[in-house]
Amino acid sequence: MTTKEIIVKGMVQGIGFRPFVAELAEKFQISGWVRNVNGSVVIHATAEDAFLAVFLHALKFNAPLGANVVSIETWDITEDETAEVPDDGKQFHIMESAKIDYSDYPLIPSDLATCQTCEAELHNPENRRYHHPFISCTACGPRYSIIEALPYDRERITMKKFPMCSRCREEYEMKANRRRHAQTVACWDCGPQVSFMRWDLQQKQWITDESHDYDCIEAARNWILQGKILAVKDIGGFHLACSAGCEEAVAALRILKGREKKPFAVMFRDINHVREYCEVNTREESLLLNDARPIVLLKRKEMNDAEAAIHPDVYGNSPDIGAFLPCNPIQIMLLENCGPLIMTSANHSGELLYLEEEQVRRLFEASEMDHLAILTHDRPILTPLDDSIVRVISIGQKPNQVYYEQTIRRARGYVPNPIMVPFSEHFLAVGGDLKATFCYTGNNRAYLSQYLGDLSDEACFAEFQKQMEHMKVLFKFIPSTVIHDAHPGYRSVQHLKMMEGLLKRRGNKMVQIQHHMAHAASVLAEHDVKGDAICFAFDGTGYGTDGTIWGSEVFLWSADERQMTRINHLPPVQLIGGDEGARNAQTILYGYLANAGRLQDCDMEPQIKEFLGEQYARYEVVQKAIAAGIHTVTSTSMGRLFDAASSLLGICDYNSYEGEAPIELENCAARTKEAVQLSAKPECWLSDLMKLRIDGAATEALARGFIHAVADWIMDICESQPVKQVVLSGGTFQNRILLERTITGMTGRGYQVYINEKIPSGDGGICVGQAYLAAMIKKQ
């Protein structure tokens, strides 16, 4: 007989790994025990060598759904070294978790969508958990959103406030039961409770339904079917839900959210339901059905008004629908006998997710609206998690089609799963202020936080600090270096500057990384790009090393020197600054026109006056302000140039939400395959568009022609360099037409193209790039 200590590392907690180990041990006549230790699983196993060999093979290759075994370490031990086990006649035991540091960061499961077996039980009248709103097992249910500390056990998650009843305890301890050691196990008798309440506008009071939990859900579903708005407490925060086919409900929801035009995401009952309204390829289907249940941007099918159960106001001018499937039992039951539902976070854009019922109450009470209700429950949410957003970019034609999966927002279902990176340093990178995220790194992994909103919002900034500390304590991170953006006005930077003395006393170094270099480096890190690369970082704004606003940056990455050199960008222009200057696309256009004569070395005023007509007087105000240097900034932003083009073409004059003008420009371009030809020189693009618009060219063809000109400019720059690897990053590359044309053109010329896939291409991914460049600087 041999006794071995076995340490299994990877995603092995929160997914039923210990019961799986126990059942294997019982099958192969192995005695001993298994326990959680930090984020790993430790096993003491005694048996014949042949049985141990089969046992070890099964641990690695037959792991339960959701597990990811990264490594298995084994060594022989003596009987004196084995832990004391209960003297109860059993050969193998599941032991209480212990806290022992094996100097490696754990892998903690993200929240898991309801599995097929639990969903079948949910709909089975003969099952004791029929219609139970919190049905789960070892393979599904909330995880990261409810974990307070490791090891992952009932007493360290928010389910600790719900003691198991005798029947649930029996399942929890029963061999071969699918709920054996399922920490979220609960039932009607012992689980969280659901409640339904509606706002009475006339009486200015909340009316609570004291019915049974399922009656509350049925009341909530009927509320939606009547064309009313419902707030739903989900895994990571409150959603606002309504029928996607009810014009009045959609309009009321837009007023309630302060969201005039931005498209809403739509939740569908199942994959077949999605196919009725959207085109879905195999890669997109896989994303829709995976445990993360992200929102997937899909091309919508054209339907006449009689057929449509999704009102056009849901998606506006977008050719896509953000589609997703239910991830928990409450959502599954709400969708019974319903058409597609809008499911959008209850908070306003940029704000922190609403986690508390009181926040939703205040929103509803202040709205002066009727037909509002809340479906809530008493299980606390520890970690706010928004819905993740992804899409598939397809390049080429079948059968040689190549797919890229692009993450727009990384949150529920993906966090805190680490991303493998080609450096081992222990860092904290705090990202930027918009679409705020941070990451800890170490042991060749980057643990990227969830999207946390805009740090100018007080609640977002407070949660940003809270989540940074929570993740640090949970994973036992001890960063040696703290990395931040170069923008002196960023709140994240100012906060660290205030703490600089304390950080230095703790032995932390501080490193500053330029915004767009971090964008480009996030791709280098994600794909472990070897050798030199031409890197394009296009977005709306970022503080440059020269004190101006950058945003169309082209860098040459030297792998040997570990250095980025800025080699190209759009011609600098003077624009009106401030928040209003960034939102008002028409003001941005006037700024570009005021610079046009200088850029082209000719008198553009007659052409501008002819084009603007009655609006020329407003242009002159901006022109004079720029000439006098009143509240101006110097910018090379690609995002601002897209704003200007959108306004010039009469598509969108004001960004009511971030990126609206560029998005509407893309939506317009998507309505045609025709594209006008513009100059190869960026400084001529707007004047070309003016001339062509005066001549009567179609707006759609002009919009597509502008996007094509940007892609062609990228390709021309690459042709001037000897490097054959290309990196594309930044929010501008969320433009599908630009991305597809650029990748197609570059790969056709023999270039290897890399984009952000697992890491968001917008500001939500720069923290990983910050850490990568800090590691490269350290190695210089």
Side-chain angles (χ1 to χ4, degrees):
M1 302 286 281
T2 301
T3 300
K4 289 186 179 291
E5 179 166 273
I6 304 164
I7 298 178
V8 186
K9 296 180 180 180
M11 192 74 72
V12 290
Q13 289 193 20
I15 41 76
F17 202 85
R18 284 184 297 168
F20 158 73
V21 170
E23 288 167 22
L24 278 182
E26 290 150 6
K27 178 179 179 180
F28 296 121
Q29 303 174 37
I30 291 170
S31 61
W33 52 264
V34 59
R35 75 182 346 156
N36 286 337
V37 179
N38 284 347
S40 302
V41 166
V42 177
I43 306 164
H44 277 204
T46 302
E48 299 290 344
D49 288 345
F51 285 132
L52 286 173
V54 177
F55 176 67
L56 287 168
H57 183 273
L59 285 178
K60 184 173 184 179
F61 296 104
N62 296 340
L65 184 69
N68 177 20
V69 176
V70 173
S71 67
I72 297 178
E73 301 169 6
T74 67
W75 51 85
D76 292 343
I77 59 174
T78 65
E79 186 176 343
D80 293 339
E81 295 174 297
T82 60
E84 184 177 337
V85 296
D87 184 18
D88 56 7
K90 296 180 181 178
Q91 284 195 316
F92 199 88
H93 298 81
I94 296 176
M95 302 282 282
E96 291 296 320
S97 300
K99 295 182 179 179
I100 303 172
D101 187 6
Y102 284 99
S103 69
D104 194 10
Y105 298 138
L107 296 180
I108 299 172
S110 56
D111 296 275
L112 303 172
T114 303
C115 68
Q116 291 183 351
T117 307
C118 279
E119 187 169 351
E121 291 180 349
L122 183 71
H123 295 306
N124 181 5
E126 303 301 317
N127 191 279
R128 77 183 190 92
R129 290 188 176 86
Y130 176 55
H131 284 162
H132 182 234
F134 303 96
I135 190 170
S136 68
C137 67
T138 55
C140 68
R143 295 295 189 267
Y144 185 60
S145 62
I146 62 172
I147 293 174
E148 296 176 348
L150 290 179
Y152 175 75
D153 286 315
R154 183 81 166 212
E155 63 268 22
R156 284 179 286 274
I157 63 175
T158 59
M159 285 294 292
K160 67 184 178 184
K161 66 176 285 189
F162 305 103
M164 291 181 228
C165 65
S166 59
R167 295 179 72 184
C168 283
R169 173 63 64 179
E170 181 181 1
E171 292 173 313
Y172 183 84
E173 297 173 349
M174 187 185 300
K175 289 183 180 180
N177 191 289
R178 49 190 293 272
R179 293 189 172 87
R180 186 181 186 186
H181 278 259
Q183 304 304 331
T184 56
V185 66
C187 70
W188 286 113
D189 297 328
C190 63
Q193 300 297 306
V194 172
S195 60
F196 175 80
M197 62 192 77
R198 58 185 176 83
W199 174 240
D200 189 312
L201 182 62
Q202 301 302 318
Q203 298 183 47
K204 300 289 185 182
Q205 67 177 17
W206 288 93
I207 299 174
T208 302
D209 189 334
E210 300 293 344
S211 303
H212 187 275
D213 285 31
Y214 180 67
D215 293 334
C216 289
I217 292 172
E218 195 166 29
R221 184 168 58 243
N222 289 334
W223 190 264
I224 292 172
L225 287 170
Q226 292 168 31
K228 301 174 182 179
I229 296 173
L230 176 75
V232 188
K233 186 177 183 181
D234 284 319
I235 286 177
F238 274 90
H239 277 113
L240 295 179
C242 73
S243 169
C246 179
E247 182 178 7
E248 294 78 11
V250 174
L253 185 59
R254 289 204 174 278
I255 294 170
L256 191 63
K257 281 271 293 182
R259 184 169 171 166
E260 185 180 351
K261 297 178 182 178
K262 190 176 182 181
F264 286 119
V266 179
M267 183 174 284
F268 294 86
R269 184 173 55 253
D270 53 40
I271 191 66
N272 292 325
H273 199 199
V274 177
R275 290 187 185 281
E276 291 179 29
Y277 300 92
C278 306
E279 296 179 12
V280 186
N281 63 36
T282 54
R283 186 67 63 90
E284 290 163 340
E285 179 177 344
S286 176
L287 286 169
L288 285 163
L289 292 170
N290 76 23
D291 281 335
R293 290 293 194 274
I295 297 169
V296 183
L297 301 183
L298 303 172
K299 183 174 176 58
R300 61 180 172 84
K301 292 180 178 178
E302 293 295 334
M303 300 184 120
N304 61 47
D305 292 341
E307 296 175 311
I310 300 178
H311 193 273
D313 286 349
V314 172
Y315 48 77
N317 295 320
S318 175
D320 298 333
I321 288 178
F324 62 138
L325 299 176
C327 70
N328 61 65
I330 290 177
Q331 291 178 348
I332 291 169
M333 289 188 286
L334 282 178
L335 280 155
E336 289 177 0
N337 305 316
C338 279
L341 300 183
I342 292 175
M343 281 278 186
T344 183
S345 59
N347 53 290
H348 287 95
S349 180
E351 291 182 348
L352 183 67
L353 284 168
Y354 290 170
L355 305 185
E356 304 296 336
E357 175 191 315
E358 184 57 36
Q359 294 172 292
V360 182
R361 285 191 185 220
R362 288 198 298 268
L363 173 70
F364 283 1
E365 290 167 9
S367 71
E368 292 299 316
M369 287 184 179
D370 208 347
H371 308 309
L372 304 173
I374 301 174
L375 180 66
T376 188
H377 58 77
D378 57 349
R379 182 178 65 200
I381 300 171
L382 184 66
T383 300
L385 289 164
D386 217 324
D387 299 307
S388 297
I389 306 175
V390 298
R391 71 173 179 185
V392 174
I393 301 294
S394 59
I395 304 297
Q397 302 296 320
K398 294 180 180 179
N400 300 316
Q401 212 162 25
V402 177
Y403 293 111
Y404 294 80
E405 291 179 9
Q406 191 178 33
T407 300
I408 309 299
R409 184 169 70 203
R410 192 173 188 270
R412 180 186 51 76
Y414 293 99
V415 176
N417 300 341
I419 294 165
M420 301 306 296
V421 291
F423 58 95
S424 59
E425 284 78 2
H426 299 261
F427 291 158
L428 165 63
V430 301
D433 276 17
L434 294 175
K435 298 180 174 64
T437 62
F438 60 85
C439 77
Y440 287 95
T441 69
N443 303 340
N444 297 103
R445 300 176 197 156
Y447 292 78
L448 185 61
S449 80
Q450 71 274 41
Y451 162 81
L452 287 163
D454 181 350
L455 295 190
S456 64
D457 180 82
E458 289 293 336
C460 286
F461 183 63
E463 191 65 32
F464 184 81
Q465 295 172 284
K466 178 182 174 183
Q467 290 301 318
M468 216 178 320
E469 183 64 19
H470 176 61
M471 189 176 275
K472 178 183 177 182
V473 171
L474 194 61
F475 288 86
K476 305 295 189 292
F477 291 124
I478 307 177
S480 64
T481 302
V482 180
I483 310 139
H484 60 82
D485 194 90
H487 198 310
Y490 273 3
R491 193 163 187 180
S492 54
V493 176
Q494 293 172 345
H495 176 67
L496 288 177
K497 292 294 185 183
M498 290 172 56
M499 296 179 61
E500 188 168 7
L502 175 61
L503 291 170
K504 286 182 176 178
R505 287 195 296 274
R506 290 177 176 174
N508 292 128
K509 296 179 181 179
M510 290 183 65
V511 175
Q512 174 178 291
I513 299 293
Q514 198 279 325
H515 187 93
H516 299 93
M517 293 180 183
H519 266 306
S522 69
V523 181
L524 299 174
E526 178 179 348
H527 296 284
D528 190 12
V529 177
K530 308 292 186 184
D532 298 347
I534 308 168
C535 304
F536 295 83
F538 291 177
D539 65 2
T541 185
Y543 192 79
T545 58
D546 57 2
T548 65
I549 303 301
W550 289 7
S552 60
E553 310 318 304
V554 188
F555 303 104
L556 183 60
W557 167 250
S558 170
D560 290 339
E561 297 177 9
R562 298 187 177 94
Q563 185 174 353
M564 274 192 185
T565 304
R566 190 187 190 206
I567 60 172
N568 214 324
H569 53 79
L570 289 175
V573 294
Q574 295 295 307
L575 300 175
I576 301 298
D579 290 342
E580 183 63 18
R583 293 191 189 102
N584 195 321
Q586 189 177 69
T587 301
I588 293 166
L589 169 63
Y590 293 165
Y592 274 96
L593 295 181
N595 287 268
R598 174 183 59 82
L599 294 177
Q600 298 185 49
D601 195 24
C602 64
D603 184 8
M604 293 291 297
E605 288 306 305
Q607 183 182 340
I608 294 170
K609 192 168 186 177
E610 177 189 2
F611 177 74
L612 292 179
E614 294 179 357
Q615 294 181 344
Y616 185 74
R618 295 180 64 187
Y619 158 73
E620 283 186 302
V621 174
V622 175
Q623 184 189 43
K624 289 174 182 177
I626 289 174
I630 301 172
H631 201 47
T632 60
V633 296
T634 301
S635 173
T636 60
S637 167
M638 183 63 77
R640 296 293 80 83
L641 184 59
F642 268 79
D643 284 329
S646 186
S647 179
L648 187 150
L649 296 177
I651 296 169
C652 180
D653 284 334
Y654 193 86
N655 291 292
S656 65
Y657 61 89
E658 186 188 1
E660 180 182 359
I663 289 168
E664 290 298 337
L665 177 79
E666 180 188 0
N667 292 341
C668 180
R671 292 196 285 270
T672 184
K673 296 297 182 183
E674 300 296 323
V676 299
Q677 182 73 39
L678 302 185
S679 168
K681 297 179 179 180
E683 58 267 31
C684 298
W685 290 341
L686 293 182
S687 58
D688 286 354
L689 290 175
M690 272 200 305
K691 293 173 187 175
L692 289 163
R693 194 167 184 223
I694 290 171
D695 291 342
T699 302
E700 292 83 356
L702 290 171
R704 183 172 278 270
F706 173 76
I707 297 171
H708 283 195
V710 177
D712 295 344
W713 182 60
I714 294 170
M715 289 184 263
D716 288 344
I717 292 172
C718 290
E719 291 289 325
S720 69
Q721 299 291 327
V723 179
K724 301 300 285 186
Q725 295 188 119
V726 178
V727 162
L728 308 175
S729 186
T732 302
F733 287 107
Q734 291 176 12
N735 184 305
R736 184 189 291 269
I737 297 171
L738 174 63
L739 193 59
E740 289 180 352
R741 182 174 177 84
T742 304
I743 295 174
T744 301
M746 296 309 302
T747 53
R749 289 168 169 79
Y751 289 83
Q752 177 66 52
V753 182
Y754 300 94
I755 69 170
N756 292 110
E757 295 189 69
K758 295 178 181 177
I759 297 170
S761 59
D763 283 7
I766 64 171
C767 56
V768 178
Q770 290 172 341
Y772 178 85
L773 286 180
M776 296 304 105
I777 291 169
K778 185 178 178 182
K779 292 175 182 176
Q780 284 178 342

